[in-house]
Amino acid sequence: MNLLPTIIVKKGSEQTQIRLFSSGYCVANERHIHPAAAARAIPFLATWALIEHPRLGKIIFDTGYSQRFFEATSTWPNRLYRWATPVKFNSGESCLERLEQNGIAINDVRHLVISHFHGDHIGGLLDFNTIPVWCTQAALDFVGRRSNRNGVFKGILKPLVPRDLGQRAMHPDRHLPEIMLGPFRCWQWEDDLIFVDLPGHCRGQMGLLIKNSNWGDLLLCADAVWSSRAYREQIHPQRIVSLFVDDYGKLIQTIDHLHCFHLDYPEILILPTHCPETARLVNN
């Protein structure tokens, strides 16, 4: 079955360059994501991507943690977030600092893509206060409806969200043409860049499908699934994760869709943010 009839990269197109970095990590129970595994703590690296596109320039996909995470979780009730997912972060590891260490100034970044608004994906967002931010309208509306008190129970830390984000946010689900890629609703940014709707984990979560990169064709799928093994083997997380995800039923459906997508297109590299296989590609 041909799921990708609308994605055609022009001949002679320059290759998009992708590098992965990490900014801190949290600790989680492996049994929650692989029910048959031992109950042991494993690191979830907060990986993010630097995408150098031949036409759009430098794009950041998510930001990982920063020191601001500890400031945002220093008081009640946000401190619950730090207790539930203990975080390790060292000075010099933030997204902005990683860029500077690699000779990239903040003004070199043209676009910032936020897959969803959990603290481990937007910890460095406040460092990018003049750059257009791509996120879904659904995600921003969900954050806007949450108070500091009830947001933490869905992984939302309001102190990490810029107050002016509504004025500079760009929404694929409002501003770009919608297409379907098999079971996935998508929005076409460029002929080789496609935003992919990945519901379940967090309201409005999206990934980014990139064609013709230095790693071939790949899908940055954020937290649609927590490990490559899970989508390959169609492993569903324990029901306990429904306590903090947006919609457990939709999460399961998205994992099933990723499994089918992988079977139909095994040449497309699918990279979950926190997977150990993704961590081995990190440049830090």
Side-chain angles (χ1 to χ4, degrees):
M1 180 173 58
N2 185 7
L3 299 182
L4 305 177
T6 60
I7 302 180
I8 301 173
V9 179
K10 297 174 183 177
K11 290 183 179 180
S13 295
E14 293 182 59
Q15 207 174 57
T16 295
Q17 300 297 309
I18 299 173
R19 284 186 281 171
L20 290 184
F21 298 86
S22 68
S23 293
Y25 67 92
C26 69
V27 178
N29 188 335
E30 186 178 14
R31 182 172 287 177
H32 291 168
I33 60 172
H34 299 140
R40 64 188 183 103
I42 58 172
F44 270 29
L45 260 66
T47 60
W48 52 272
L50 169 63
I51 303 163
E52 299 187 67
H53 190 267
R55 293 179 297 283
L56 295 180
K58 290 180 173 60
I59 303 165
I60 301 297
F61 182 89
D62 286 340
T63 70
Y65 292 107
S66 76
Q67 189 60 39
R68 286 193 178 93
F69 171 83
F70 298 99
E71 299 165 7
T73 57
S74 62
T75 58
W76 182 266
N78 287 351
R79 195 169 183 85
L80 288 170
Y81 195 123
R82 200 193 304 185
W83 289 343
T85 56
V87 170
K88 304 294 182 181
F89 177 85
N90 297 316
S91 177
E93 289 184 340
S94 74
C95 179
L96 181 60
E97 290 168 315
R98 295 289 194 205
L99 292 175
E100 291 173 344
Q101 291 160 12
N102 283 269
I104 299 171
I106 189 170
N107 291 335
D108 294 333
V109 179
R110 302 291 299 279
H111 301 272
L112 180 60
V113 176
I114 294 299
S115 64
H116 63 291
F117 283 92
H118 282 171
D120 53 332
H121 294 256
I122 65 163
L125 181 55
L126 285 167
D127 288 328
F128 299 88
N129 54 17
T130 62
I131 297 168
V133 176
W134 287 88
C135 62
T136 64
Q137 181 75 61
L140 190 60
D141 288 346
F142 182 69
V143 171
R145 291 193 297 269
R146 293 278 163 177
S147 68
N148 191 54
R149 179 172 296 275
N150 65 25
V152 68
F153 296 103
K154 288 296 182 180
I156 306 297
L157 297 173
K158 292 297 287 283
L160 297 179
V161 180
R163 294 182 179 180
D164 70 338
L165 187 58
Q167 283 71 58
R168 56 191 175 94
M170 298 291 291
H171 304 300
D173 46 345
R174 286 189 57 192
H175 301 134
L176 297 177
E178 182 175 318
I179 60 174
M180 293 297 296
L181 302 180
F184 294 117
R185 183 171 66 132
C186 303
W187 305 280
Q188 190 144 12
W189 193 5
E190 289 278 315
D191 60 339
D192 52 359
L193 292 176
I194 309 290
F195 292 112
V196 182
D197 187 27
L198 298 169
H201 174 71
C202 186
R203 190 74 55 86
Q205 178 181 244
M206 66 179 183
L208 185 63
L209 179 63
I210 304 164
K211 300 283 287 184
N212 192 35
S213 83
N214 54 314
W215 289 342
D217 300 344
L218 78 154
L219 171 60
L220 298 171
C221 75
D223 289 1
V225 66
W226 287 299
S227 75
S228 298
R229 179 187 169 198
Y231 76 72
R232 283 197 295 259
E233 300 178 24
Q234 208 169 1
I235 298 172
H236 299 156
Q238 287 186 331
R239 185 79 194 190
I240 193 173
V241 306
S242 63
L243 295 175
F244 59 85
V245 301
D246 180 52
D247 188 315
Y248 182 78
K250 289 182 178 178
L251 173 66
I252 297 305
Q253 185 179 59
T254 294
I255 292 172
D256 292 345
H257 287 166
L258 284 171
H259 174 72
C260 294
F261 189 85
H262 168 65
L263 293 179
D264 284 323
Y265 288 91
E267 73 278 8
I268 295 179
L269 179 63
I270 301 175
L271 294 181
T273 293
H274 304 299
C275 179
E277 295 178 32
T278 303
R280 287 196 285 269
L281 300 173
V282 164
N283 280 262
N284 294 353

